[in-house]
Structure formats: structure tokens, C-alpha cells
Amino acid sequence: MNNKIFSNAIQIISRSFNLRSTLLHHTQIAAYSTILDDSEKLERRIQQHYKSYVVKVDEPVERKRARLLWQSRKRGIAENCLLFGTFSSKYLDSLTEEQLGTYDRILNDYINEWDLYYWMVGTKEVPKAYESDIMTMLKKHCKNEEREKRFKQPDLHPK
């Protein structure tokens, strides 16, 4: 008798957890789908953050280059560390002050690292706020048409 009651109780608890798990899973999928489908809200959110970004004023160019080099190498995901690290090693010294400002915004605005990665590799469309010559350069760099080996971060001080 006790075994049967215990067995029934376990089955009820198990069904309850499965139901909660299923409901939670469907709720998360619905929320994620809403985020993906609502590109206008994403564009507005990006525009708000883009406008509120605090530009560093009177920062010497060489200090800005050094800061951007460090920030290029220390991203949230390894893919971006490699892409930005190799990009900055190749192009940072030749960028104009205006281009440095644009690159600074791309690196430091409030952006999801995966979204940034998807924009660079062409999986997702680049929002209007980030369409620039720098983003074009980044996208071209990601295509790696020269077939460079990019398995590790470039040396900071090449020999």
C-alpha cells in the first residue's frame, strides 16, 4: 500500500515538473521570437544607446589607439577577440581620427557581442547607426579573402 502511494506521488511530482519545464520552455521561445521579430524596437534601442554614448574628448590620438588596441583584444567572446585583434593589428595605425571615433563607438557602445559578430560576418543586417566605412572594413576583414591564418591574437610588439 505504501509503495503504491509513494509511486503515485512520484508520478504526480514528475508530471508537475515536466509541465513546468514545458511551460517555461514555450514562454522562453515566445519571448525570444518576439525579440527576433521586432527589428524596429532593436533599431530604436540601438539609436538611443548610440546617441547617449559618451565620446572621450581631448584624448590624445596615440592614447586612443592604445586603448582601442587593448579593447579590440579583450572582447566578450573569443571570435570577436580574434577578429577585432587581427583587424586592429592590421588597420589601427592607418585610421584617421574620425575613423578611430567610429571604431571606438562600434567597440564600446552597448552592443551584444554576438550581434556584433553576426553583423561583421554578414549573418544579420547591420543597423543604420553602425553602417560606416569601418563596418565595411570589418566585414571585408571577416571574409578573409587573403586567407590569412588567424588562429591566435597577433603579437603586441612584432619582432
Side-chain angles (χ1 to χ4, degrees):
M1 170 92 175
N2 284 340
N3 284 342
K4 189 172 184 178
I5 293 173
F6 181 72
S7 176
N8 287 343
I10 294 296
Q11 288 176 354
I12 291 169
I13 291 170
S14 175
R15 288 183 195 141
S16 173
F17 279 119
N18 285 339
L19 180 61
R20 285 184 190 155
S21 173
T22 302
L23 288 173
L24 180 61
H25 179 70
H26 287 297
T27 304
Q28 289 171 337
I29 288 174
Y32 187 67
S33 298
T34 303
I35 290 170
L36 290 178
D37 292 337
D38 203 352
S39 60
E40 288 180 17
K41 281 185 182 177
L42 175 64
E43 186 69 39
R44 278 195 303 260
R45 183 177 61 91
I46 287 171
Q47 287 292 345
Q48 286 174 335
H49 286 290
Y50 191 80
K51 290 175 184 172
S52 67
Y53 178 73
V54 178
V55 178
K56 293 188 181 285
V57 181
D58 296 332
E59 181 180 28
V61 174
E62 289 311 310
R63 182 179 292 165
K64 181 178 271 191
R65 287 185 204 282
R67 176 176 58 80
L68 292 175
L69 175 63
W70 185 85
Q71 290 173 337
S72 296
R73 297 170 61 89
K74 305 296 181 189
R75 305 305 304 165
I77 58 174
E79 291 86 345
N80 284 356
C81 291
L82 282 173
L83 290 173
F84 282 116
T86 55
F87 177 85
S88 64
S89 176
K90 190 172 185 178
Y91 296 108
L92 198 62
D93 288 336
S94 64
L95 296 180
T96 66
E97 284 191 54
E98 183 181 335
Q99 288 174 319
L100 287 173
T102 303
Y103 187 59
D104 190 0
R105 290 191 89 123
I106 290 171
L107 285 180
N108 294 303
D109 270 358
Y110 181 78
I111 301 175
N112 178 313
E113 286 290 320
W114 282 110
D115 283 340
L116 191 53
Y117 173 78
Y118 293 139
W119 298 339
M120 289 188 298
V121 298
T123 304
K124 288 185 177 180
E125 188 175 327
V126 178
K128 292 175 190 160
Y130 296 102
E131 289 176 355
S132 64
D133 58 336
I134 296 296
M135 186 57 78
T136 303
M137 289 171 70
L138 283 164
K139 289 169 78 172
K140 185 173 191 242
H141 180 73
C142 289
K143 287 180 182 177
N144 195 15
E145 293 168 346
E146 297 87 28
R147 300 291 179 225
E148 299 170 326
K149 294 181 182 178
R150 299 178 183 163
F151 302 115
K152 66 180 189 79
Q153 290 278 3
D155 293 333
L156 280 174
H157 306 288
K159 296 176 184 178

